[in-house]
């Protein structure tokens, strides 16, 4: 991948919309995409963080547009995409990355913990994909990458809501890949394992050590590891891949 990146810009003059791009994995994807020639639209709840992503994108001489948006609300998503189109006229790539956790064992999990996680992680993906796929269908091209999780494949005690949302993303990815394939649109999912970000920083040392023991490559992943895979799936290098779930987890869930 490094040689590919060195030889040519993989996303020259493409426009990518990244949800939850204010920090963590989403920010890393924004920056690596900008380095590869893409202009970037960030949709995130958190304005302070988005500005920093913008600065990093613009450092690569690409345009950045930050939009404050709650992806769980369809009307906010529609307004955000209208703003993106006013500025860039098209969206070539959608990265459905925003996600949250509200962990608890089933008996202690509240209805609100369940609803919120499903609303952001799963309905948010539906909202953004529904609106943007309409544009991609007209363009007869597009790349959609959904960030799932290995938890959606293997489950995890204390994360029934999160696991259900991430498993839901996998079923959604495969269905939409079938719906959109004939129009030149690729839809794939990435299932990361344990990646060092704000989301995982809050886990206790005990849980971190337990997880490390389960990873054959014996280290946690980085945001750059995930961003490089997203770059490949968003580029023409992956034109013959659709409906796939690619695990990036150091071998944890093989
Ligand atoms: P993070 O918590 O560092 O960043 C998530 C971003 O999403 C934040 O900027 C937040 O403001 C934004 N966001 C949250 N709710 C939103 C909403 N309703 N509308 C718009 N934006 C919203 O998370 P991280 O670690 O970068 O995770 C990114 C994605 O990767 C998530 O979908 C997560 O489930 C997934 N993932 C992360 C793993 C990890 O180990 N960090 C492992 C597997 C999957």
């Amino acid at each position: 991948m490094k040689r590919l990146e060195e030889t040519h810009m993989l996303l020259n003059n493409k426009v990518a919309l990244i949800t939850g791009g204010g920090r963590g994995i989403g920010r890393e994807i924004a920056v690596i995409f900008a380095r590869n020639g893409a202009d970037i639209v960030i949709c995130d709840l958190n304005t302070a963080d988005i500005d920093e992503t913008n600065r990093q994108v613009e450092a690569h001489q690409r345009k950045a547009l930050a939009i404050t948006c709650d992806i769980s609300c369809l009307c906010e998503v529609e307004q955000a995409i209208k703003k993106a189109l006013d500025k860039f006229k098209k969206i070539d790539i959608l990265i459905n990355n925003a996600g949250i956790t509200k962990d608890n064992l089933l008996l202690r999990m509240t209805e609100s913990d369940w609803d919120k996680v499903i609303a952001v992680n799963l309905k948010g993906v539906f909202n953004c994909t529904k609106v943007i796929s309409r544009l991609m269908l007209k363009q007869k091209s597009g790349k959609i990458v959904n960030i799932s999780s290995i938890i959606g494949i293997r489950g995890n005690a204390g994360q029934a809501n999160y696991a259900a949302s991430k498993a839901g993303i996998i079923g959604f990815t495969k269905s939409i890949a079938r719906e959109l394939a004939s129009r030149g649109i690729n839809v794939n999912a990435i299932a990361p394992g344990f990646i060092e970000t704000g989301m995982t920083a809050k886990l206790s040392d005990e849980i971190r050590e337990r997880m490390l023991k389960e990873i054959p490559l014996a280290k946690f992943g980085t945001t750059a590891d995930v961003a490089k895979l997203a770059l490949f799936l968003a580029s023409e290098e992956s034109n013959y891949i659709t409906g796939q779930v690619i695990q990036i987890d150091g071998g944890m869930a093989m």
Side-chain angles (χ1 to χ4, degrees):
M1 182 58 85
K2 201 163 191 189
R3 270 184 50 215
L4 274 178
E5 272 189 69
E6 278 162 7
T7 48
H8 63 284
M9 301 273 242
L10 288 176
L11 305 179
N12 220 1
N13 296 322
K14 300 287 186 192
V15 177
L17 186 145
I18 303 165
T19 67
R23 65 178 199 196
I25 292 170
R27 176 183 288 166
E28 193 75 36
I29 293 173
V31 175
I32 198 173
F33 279 20
R35 197 158 72 224
N36 276 271
D39 294 324
I40 306 293
V41 182
I42 299 293
C43 290
D44 202 301
L45 272 180
N46 191 331
T47 342
D49 286 342
I50 311 188
D51 291 343
E52 176 54 27
T53 304
N54 264 6
R55 272 193 291 279
Q56 293 191 27
V57 166
E58 284 164 357
H60 292 288
Q61 284 74 50
R62 298 310 310 188
K63 296 192 198 99
L65 174 65
I67 304 172
T68 310
C69 167
D70 178 352
I71 57 154
S72 67
C73 170
L74 180 59
C75 59
E76 285 196 30
V77 168
E78 284 169 339
Q79 282 165 11
I81 289 163
K82 189 173 176 309
K83 280 186 204 155
L85 287 176
D86 286 346
K87 185 169 169 97
F88 291 119
K89 313 291 177 224
K90 62 169 187 170
I91 296 169
D92 303 293
I93 299 160
L94 167 62
I95 309 292
N96 280 310
N97 163 77
I100 59 168
T101 52
K102 289 200 179 292
D103 300 348
N104 223 329
L105 294 171
L106 181 62
L107 293 185
R108 289 197 206 123
M109 188 175 285
T110 64
E111 185 181 10
S112 147
D113 290 340
W114 174 271
D115 287 346
K116 188 72 193 158
V117 168
I118 299 295
V120 176
N121 296 10
L122 188 54
K123 187 181 168 207
V125 172
F126 162 78
N127 287 343
C128 297
T129 307
K130 181 176 164 68
V131 180
I132 291 178
S133 65
R134 189 185 293 274
L135 310 171
M136 291 178 169
L137 282 166
K138 283 193 195 132
Q139 290 166 195
K140 293 196 172 57
S141 68
K143 299 275 188 178
I144 300 173
V145 180
N146 299 324
I147 309 295
S148 175
S149 166
I150 58 159
I151 302 301
I153 295 169
R154 51 174 262 174
N156 196 24
Q159 289 199 303
N161 50 359
Y162 183 77
S165 71
K166 294 299 187 180
I169 287 177
I170 292 174
F172 181 82
T173 299
K174 293 179 181 178
S175 305
I176 302 308
R178 287 181 187 276
E179 284 188 29
L180 302 181
S182 67
R183 306 296 279 274
I185 302 167
N186 302 61
V187 189
N188 291 291
I190 294 177
F194 191 110
I195 309 297
E196 293 278 14
T197 68
M199 185 180 266
T200 45
K202 55 190 179 193
L203 296 174
S204 69
D205 287 348
E206 191 197 328
I207 294 181
R208 292 168 69 88
E209 269 167 39
R210 199 166 23 139
M211 291 204 145
L212 200 52
K213 286 200 186 112
E214 285 187 53
I215 303 173
L217 287 181
K219 57 184 178 186
F220 298 134
T222 64
T223 54
D225 291 327
V226 181
K228 282 185 270 186
L229 177 55
L231 173 63
F232 171 67
L233 291 174
S235 78
E236 307 224 325
E237 304 296 327
S238 60
N239 277 354
Y240 200 53
I241 300 176
T242 200
Q244 301 306 304
V245 183
I246 303 185
Q247 291 176 212
I248 177 159
D249 63 358
M252 192 177 185
M254 71 173 103

